[in-house]
Amino acid sequence: MNKKIPNSAIIPQYGNALRKGSTNSIVDFSESVKIDFNFQLHRIGDMISEFNGEMAPNRIPHYIIAIITEGSGVKNIGSYSFEIQPGMAMVFPKNVIHSSQNWALNTKGYMLTFNETLFEEFQFPLSFIGLPQLFKHTIQPHQKVDSTQLDKIVSTFSELSKLKETMLGQNRKLFILKLAELIVTYSKIFINEDTSDKNNNLLDRFNELLELDFKHHREVQYYANKLSLHPNYLNKLVQTQYQLSAQKYIQNRIFLEAKYLLSSTEIPVKEITFELGFHDYNYFCRQFKKVTGTSPGVYRKLNS
C-alpha cells in the first residue's frame, strides 16, 4: 500500500541523498531514501529547482516515465546520452544509472516513478499493457512525440496528478486505470514490431548479465557461455543493435562506470581501478586514456 508522501517532502530527501553521496559511489536511492512507496508523481520543474539543473549519477528501484513540455539540457540514461527538448518522452528501466546536466531552470513536464505492486491489488495484467516490454534495455529511452501525442500524454499526467490527491477507493482504482492507459500510450510510441523478437530478448538478457558482472568479467566468451551462444553470434547481435562489437560494448560499460565514479565521487583512482576489476593501475590508466583521450586524473579535474 502506498504511503501518501507529498512531493514537498520527498524531493528534498532526494536532493539530500545526492549531496551526501557526492563522495561515495553512484547514489542508490533504495539505500539512501528510506521511504516505502509504490508510486510518486512529480512536476519536472520542482525537481530541477531542487537539483539546480544538475543531477549526479544515481539509480532508483522503480520504473520511471516522463514527458518534457518545455526546456533544454542533457540527459544520460544507461549508455544513452541525449539533448532533451520539448515534446520528448522518456522511459527509465529499474536501477538503470541516470544523470542530468545543464538543465534550464524553466524546464517543465512530469515524471512518474512506480512499481508493479501498484497493480497487484487489482490483479492487473501487466503484459497486456506492455509494461515488461516498455522497460527493456534494448528500448531507446527517449522519443520525440507529435503534438497530438503530447497533448494526450500531458492530459493523462494532469488527470493522474489530480487523482493522486485522494488515493482511496474509487479514486485509487481510477488512478491505476489511468496509469495503465499512459503505459499503453508510451508502449505504442516506444515499441515497434522488432522489439519483442528472439534476438532482442537475448540482448535484454545480455544487458542484464552485463549489469551484474561487468566489474568482474570483460570477456565476450563469458557472456556468450551464459547465454548458450557462440561468441560470434553474440557479437553479431550487439553489432546490429548498437553498431559496436560486443567487446567494445562491454568496454564502454566499464569505462562509463569509471567516468561516473571519477566525475561524481572522490574515490581515489587506484581504488576505482580495483573496484572495476583491473589488477594493474597503469594498465587501467592506459586503457582509460585510449577510450576517452585523457588520463583518469585529468578527466576528474575537468568533470568534477
Side-chain angles (χ1 to χ4, degrees):
M1 184 69 70
N2 184 72
K3 295 181 179 178
K4 187 177 179 183
I5 306 163
N7 292 354
S8 58
I10 195 168
I11 291 178
Q13 292 197 40
Y14 283 138
N16 288 336
L18 287 171
R19 286 185 284 273
K20 289 178 181 178
S22 61
T23 58
N24 298 313
S25 185
I26 294 164
V27 177
D28 187 338
F29 283 130
S30 65
E31 297 177 355
S32 54
V33 179
K34 298 297 184 181
I35 298 176
D36 179 25
F37 63 85
N38 52 25
F39 82 91
Q40 278 287 316
L41 178 59
H42 307 289
R43 291 183 181 276
I44 295 285
D46 296 335
M47 304 288 286
I48 298 301
S49 296
E50 175 65 29
F51 304 130
N52 198 31
E54 306 284 331
M55 179 179 280
N58 65 89
R59 51 166 60 99
I60 186 169
H62 291 73
Y63 300 114
I64 301 176
I65 53 179
I67 188 69
I68 303 296
T69 57
E70 294 181 30
S72 60
V74 175
K75 187 68 187 173
N76 306 291
I77 302 177
S79 59
Y80 292 88
S81 181
F82 53 93
E83 298 268 349
I84 66 128
Q85 54 187 296
M88 179 169 283
M90 296 182 288
V91 294
F92 304 52
K94 281 185 177 183
N95 291 310
V96 69
I97 298 171
H98 65 98
S99 61
S100 306
Q101 298 91 40
N102 302 319
W103 278 45
L105 297 183
N106 65 344
T107 301
K108 295 180 182 178
Y110 291 95
M111 184 181 82
L112 175 67
T113 64
F114 68 95
N115 273 333
E116 303 97 324
T117 54
L118 186 60
F119 297 92
E120 287 178 357
E121 60 197 276
F122 296 108
Q123 298 182 335
F124 213 90
L126 300 182
S127 59
F128 177 75
I129 61 177
L131 189 147
Q133 293 81 13
L134 179 60
F135 292 98
K136 288 185 174 183
H137 287 274
T138 46
I139 295 289
Q140 178 178 289
H142 59 96
Q143 293 287 347
K144 188 76 162 58
V145 300
D146 60 36
S147 58
T148 301
Q149 292 169 324
L150 179 61
D151 289 344
K152 182 178 181 180
I153 290 170
V154 171
S155 175
T156 305
F157 266 113
S158 181
E159 291 180 63
L160 286 168
S161 185
K162 294 174 184 176
L163 287 168
K164 81 177 182 65
E165 298 304 322
T166 309
M167 285 293 288
L168 298 171
Q170 187 67 12
N171 267 15
R172 186 172 184 83
K173 187 172 184 178
L174 287 173
F175 181 94
I176 293 170
L177 289 171
K178 188 58 64 174
L179 173 56
E181 177 186 321
L182 185 63
I183 293 170
V184 169
T185 299
Y186 270 62
S187 295
K188 290 178 179 178
I189 294 168
F190 282 84
I191 300 173
N192 59 49
E193 294 178 355
D194 297 326
T195 58
S196 60
D197 65 14
K198 178 182 176 182
N199 287 346
N200 277 288
N201 288 333
L202 286 170
L203 284 169
D204 282 322
R205 289 171 58 200
F206 169 60
N207 276 292
E208 290 167 4
L209 285 170
L210 187 61
E211 286 303 307
L212 290 172
D213 294 342
F214 72 87
K215 292 183 180 180
H216 309 290
H217 296 282
R218 301 193 291 273
E219 313 83 15
V220 176
Q221 182 73 59
Y222 170 82
Y223 296 98
N225 289 345
K226 285 283 187 178
L227 295 168
S228 300
L229 299 175
H230 191 282
N232 290 347
Y233 187 70
L234 177 57
N235 189 66
K236 181 180 178 181
L237 290 179
V238 175
Q239 184 77 48
T240 300
Q241 179 71 23
Y242 303 111
Q243 290 74 56
L244 294 171
S245 68
Q247 189 64 62
K248 182 67 174 177
Y249 188 77
I250 294 167
Q251 181 188 67
N252 282 0
R253 179 64 188 91
I254 295 165
F255 287 103
L256 173 65
E257 192 85 1
K259 288 189 284 187
Y260 273 136
L261 293 172
L262 288 166
S263 62
S264 65
T265 79
E266 296 176 6
I267 299 174
V269 177
K270 282 191 176 181
E271 287 187 30
I272 292 174
T273 299
F274 298 123
E275 182 174 335
L276 295 180
F278 291 87
H279 302 295
D280 185 326
Y281 168 75
N282 291 324
Y283 176 75
F284 168 75
C285 290
R286 287 197 301 272
Q287 291 298 108
F288 186 89
K289 187 170 185 179
K290 184 177 179 181
V291 171
T292 67
T294 187
S295 69
V298 171
Y299 184 89
R300 169 167 274 169
K301 288 180 181 178
L302 293 175
N303 295 278
S304 293

